[in-house]
Amino acid sequence: MTARPKIDSGIEEFANDLGKPWQWEENGYTVTRGCAWSAPGCHPVGCGVKFYVNKDGILEKVEGDENQPITQGRLCVRCLTLPDFTYHPDRVIYPMKRAKEDRGKNKWERTTWEDAYNIIEENIGRIKKEHGPESIVVFGGTGREGGPMCGPYGMAMIGTPNACYTQSGYACYIPRVAAATYVAGVTYPEMDYAGGLPGRYEDPAYKVPEVMVAWGKEPLPSNGDGFFGHSVIDCMKRGSKLISIDPRTNWLATRATYHLALRPGTDTALGMAMLNIIIQEDLYDHDSVDRFCYGFEQLAERVATMPAEKAAEICGLDVEDIYGATRMYANASNAAILWGLAIDQKANGAQAGHCILSLEAITGNMDIPGGQLLGDVNDSLGDLGFGWKELGPELQNKIIGLKEYPAYVGMVLNSHADLTLEAMETGVPYEIHGGFIASTNLLAGTCAAQPKRWHDAMQKLDFVFAADCWITPTVQCCADVILPIASFAERQSMVGTHYGASPNMLGSVVDAVKVGETKGDLEIQYELGTRLNPGTYARFANFEEFRAEFRMGNCGMTYEELKEKVIYQREVNYRKYETGRLRPDGQPGFNTPTGRIELYSTMFRQFGEDPLPYYEEPQQSPVSTPELMDEYPFVLTTGARTYAYFHSEGKQIPLLRELNPDPLLEIHPKDAAKLGIADGEWVNVENQFGKCELKARVVPVVKPGVVHAQHGFWFPEEDGEEPHLFGVWRSNINELVPHKNVGKLGFGAPFKCLICKVEKNAK
């Protein structure tokens, strides 16, 4: 591997002149403009980047691209440290293989792409012939290369119906998508921050939101789901007021007019109370309700059961703050809710999403400038369903969980994670024999609940291959072959900012450098797909044709044209429900059975779920399990985003590790004093499901009685072989997350609303 040289401090800084071409030469460097997208991981904001490559072909530094109209030169530390990622000595840059009997051991040997593909083709082909395609599972995580890769990897590349995002209840994004789909017939809508308008905030078509509500979303470190977090600050500078709804005090919460630090897991109670206040005080938009909402009377009756006083008791809030924040939101001329991952991570998450959509609908903030931006009927989640039709009815009906959770499986076209784990353990409804670890480190606490169970089940599979940038604990435990993934500086592709929901822009991903023999996810999918499932790819003459269809979409240009342009801002249209752009029949309204936003959801009713939002306590809480509170007195929430890491990624990078060297447990000073815990001490965190070790951060960002644990920690510098696996079990907070504590329809899981005890570590 080529070592990364130290950057010469004498490199001349370039002026921030607008109108730069996509590539130019200056001071001995080739400077290339492009956009960021996983790997390394992030959500698809498509941040503008400039790669500085020296005459020896080495990427020396990365800077923000001031010409990118959304990010405007701002760049997070994860992108700034891309050279450290690219040239790290532990990075996998060639195909590797080992014998099945050597799983868990560091006995990897380099091989060729041809040999790796042959091994995969032979073993996957054998398993399909002997046990059926359904006996193979793709284990997926956050979408790669600008789109949701898990489904196409499974359905199109392998020909199995069992593409599985391995998080219990797929409690990341999907409960929000379910609420949006079954209530409004749209993909989850985010705040309009003028990303698709040529003039951005000053564009005459745009109006800066009067009020923004950050609900369970910390956008500055996360930039979640294509929402550029810094746009919140941009809008605040232009006069927007902020409401924060979050159990933790973060940077935005300290700038908010109201910070509602509710008890974790009680969001639906708050949402119902806010709806009740708006209806009782006649603060709703009568025109929007009369023309575009269905079931308003039924909703009003239901939320009347949750007065603000009752919600304040449930949530642990000052009732006057609930009234004040609600009136501030409802009285705004335009307002937007930034709703995040915390909505998903409870069994009651789809109902919380139902409340938020209802708030947006009855206040008239749907698809207006500075409100909630909707994608039109032609937008989708990229290539999510690619290969599903080709499976045919017999295989489609074998997808794990379809019978038990049809609303979940039928919508997301993923096998249900909890039932997939049980199938691997029990052989019911059939045995699982093969697996593909698709750029996910599920054992390290990134997504899987009860990860030791996943570890044991995956080790039993006949053949497993992986695609990743590193030998992770998950790869080390059970993979037989690993394919090296290219970073966003090493491949040609496209990124779309939340493509299909908030249509802002498309950006080019460019191959400024080449390291080893890495390939992009999309290239691997095409090359392996033509071997493993050739009929699905028969209509494509080559990879370029395939990429054009599944990455360029309907933007009307080729990849080469996009590369020259760098950024393509998509057309933005507001109030699409008035012009027929939300329905396939071209009629005004929403793409629901009633043609309206269904405050009373006929789709939920069809699946046997309550058609109206309702509050349900977390399965483990001071209210639902009071008998356990003497032993487990703390409410535990997990997984708040950090600036240093994207889930489990980045632990090898020196600067990132310096920013966040240890896995932290935030605990209030009063609670720490009672337990005799000092800041920086290691503590044991335990509940009825598992335990781990974390380092105490004594700080009043959580309320007394609540603790917050970081997730996704492993220790790449430690022994990587079984049973240690880079220390993956020591600080794994997901060992405390129970299996199958999901909602009635299969959505959501309590990653953010558990109970635990905290004790000083005796070591």
Side-chain angles (χ1 to χ4, degrees), residues 45 73 123 167 172 201 206 246 285 288 330 337 433 438 476-477 508 513 523 561 587 634 651 691 730 735 737 760:
V45 172
N123 283 277
Q167 186 171 42
C172 173
Y201 306 112
Y206 186 68
D246 196 310
D285 185 308
S288 293
I337 297 177
H433 288 269
Q476 187 78 302
C477 117
S508 62
V513 294
E523 188 176 5
E561 290 169 335
Q587 295 300 307
F634 289 99
K651 303 301 186 294
K691 62 182 178 180
R730 187 199 329 157
E735 277 295 291
V737 181
K760 292 186 69 169

Side-chain angles (χ1 to χ4, degrees), residues 527-539:
E527 292 179 350
L528 263 181
T530 57
R531 287 170 170 253
L532 304 178
N533 201 28
T536 304
Y537 297 83
R539 71 179 188 270

Side-chain angles (χ1 to χ4, degrees), residues 306-350:
M306 186 62 72
E309 290 73 16
K310 180 178 178 181
E313 183 178 353
I314 291 171
C315 300
L317 296 173
D318 186 325
V319 69
E320 293 305 318
D321 286 344
I322 298 178
Y323 277 108
T326 303
R327 291 164 180 159
M328 179 177 165
Y329 171 74
N331 286 320
S333 59
N334 66 331
I337 297 177
L338 298 75
W339 43 320
L341 179 70
I343 300 302
D344 305 327
Q345 298 202 324
K346 54 185 70 68
N348 197 220

Side-chain angles (χ1 to χ4, degrees), residues 146 379-382 494 496-502 506 552-555 570:
D379 292 323
S380 67
L381 290 175
M494 178 278 289
T497 58
H498 201 116
Y499 193 49
S502 301
L506 307 179
M552 301 313 298
N554 59 359
C555 71
R570 304 176 71 204

Side-chain angles (χ1 to χ4, degrees), residues 683-759:
V683 296
N684 297 324
V685 185
E686 183 176 353
N687 66 10
Q688 65 271 46
F689 306 110
K691 62 182 178 180
C692 68
E693 299 177 7
L694 303 171
K695 181 173 280 190
R697 181 173 182 242
V698 180
V699 60
V701 299
V702 290
K703 296 196 295 188
V706 176
V707 292
H708 167 261
Q710 289 185 344
H711 76 300
F713 243 90
W714 57 298
F715 303 89
E717 69 275 12
E718 296 185 4
D719 177 18
E721 295 196 341
E722 288 275 16
H724 194 70
L725 288 178
F726 304 105
V728 70
W729 308 122
R730 187 199 329 157
S731 301
N732 198 325
I733 194 63
N734 280 11
E735 277 295 291
L736 282 71
V737 181
H739 170 75
K740 208 176 180 179
N741 277 32
V742 299
K744 184 176 181 180
L745 298 183
F747 297 108
F751 288 81
K752 291 188 179 295
C753 46
L754 297 160
I755 56 175
C756 71
K757 64 180 176 182
V758 179
E759 298 176 333

Side-chain angles (χ1 to χ4, degrees), residues 191-514:
M191 169 181 151
D192 171 29
Y193 60 96
L197 296 172
R200 290 301 311 281
Y201 306 112
E202 283 69 43
D203 196 290
Y206 186 68
K207 182 181 178 183
V208 173
E210 184 177 330
V211 172
M212 300 178 294
V213 183
W215 196 326
K217 193 183 195 85
E218 192 174 2
L220 293 178
S222 70
N223 297 295
D225 308 315
F227 182 86
F228 182 49
H230 211 284
S231 61
V232 175
I233 298 175
D234 291 342
C235 289
M236 291 169 67
K237 289 178 177 177
R238 289 164 172 81
S240 298
K241 302 299 182 184
L242 184 66
I243 297 169
S244 173
I245 302 175
D246 196 310
R248 298 170 67 248
T249 300
N250 54 45
W251 190 91
L252 287 178
T254 64
R255 274 77 177 169
T257 304
Y258 289 96
H259 174 209
L260 304 182
L262 74 177
R263 173 165 62 91
T266 61
D267 303 78
T268 306
L270 176 60
M272 292 177 67
M274 293 175 70
L275 285 164
N276 185 52
I277 292 169
I278 291 170
I279 294 170
Q280 292 294 322
E281 297 187 1
D282 196 20
L283 301 178
Y284 61 91
D285 185 308
H286 287 251
D287 182 64
S288 293
V289 169
D290 292 343
R291 296 175 63 200
F292 297 111
C293 293
Y294 174 82
F296 178 75
E297 292 78 12
Q298 294 96 321
L299 177 72
E301 183 178 354
R302 171 60 58 84
V303 298
T305 65
M306 186 62 72
E309 290 73 16
K310 180 178 178 181
E313 183 178 353
I314 291 171
C315 300
L317 296 173
D318 186 325
V319 69
E320 293 305 318
D321 286 344
I322 298 178
Y323 277 108
T326 303
R327 291 164 180 159
M328 179 177 165
Y329 171 74
N331 286 320
S333 59
N334 66 331
I337 297 177
L338 298 75
W339 43 320
L341 179 70
I343 300 302
D344 305 327
Q345 298 202 324
K346 54 185 70 68
N348 197 220
Q351 287 69 40
H354 193 165
C355 287
I356 289 173
L357 285 157
S358 299
L359 285 165
E360 295 163 351
I362 71 171
T363 56
N365 283 302
M366 277 291 192
D367 215 26
I368 65 170
Q372 309 297 144
L373 188 61
L374 304 179
D376 67 28
V377 71
N378 295 313
D379 292 323
S380 67
L381 290 175
D383 52 7
L384 177 62
F386 177 45
W388 176 253
K389 181 180 178 181
E390 288 80 1
L391 289 176
E394 183 179 355
L395 276 178
Q396 289 174 1
N397 288 327
K398 288 185 177 181
I399 186 170
I400 295 172
L402 181 61
K403 178 181 178 181
E404 297 87 347
Y405 299 122
Y408 175 108
V409 173
M411 182 193 74
V412 75
L413 302 182
N414 260 226
S415 65
H416 195 276
D418 301 85
L419 298 184
T420 300
L421 173 58
E422 292 179 2
M424 289 195 292
E425 293 174 326
T426 67
V428 178
Y430 44 77
E431 293 182 349
I432 305 299
H433 288 269
F436 172 36
I437 304 168
S439 301
T440 180
N441 189 11
L442 64 101
L443 297 188
T446 55
C447 57
Q450 301 293 284
K452 284 184 180 177
R453 286 180 60 179
W454 284 91
H455 166 274
D456 295 344
M458 292 173 70
Q459 280 194 323
K460 296 187 295 183
L461 300 181
D462 299 344
F463 177 74
V464 179
F465 70 105
D468 212 314
C469 303
W470 311 92
I471 301 295
T472 66
T474 309
V475 171
Q476 187 78 302
C477 117
C478 59
D480 306 306
V481 174
I482 180 170
L483 306 175
I485 294 293
S487 75
F488 62 79
E490 302 167 69
R491 66 176 188 269
Q492 295 183 353
S493 190
M494 178 278 289
V495 58
T497 58
H498 201 116
Y499 193 49
S502 301
N504 288 314
M505 70 89 182
L506 307 179
S508 62
V509 177
V510 296
D511 52 343
V513 294
K514 182 65 178 176

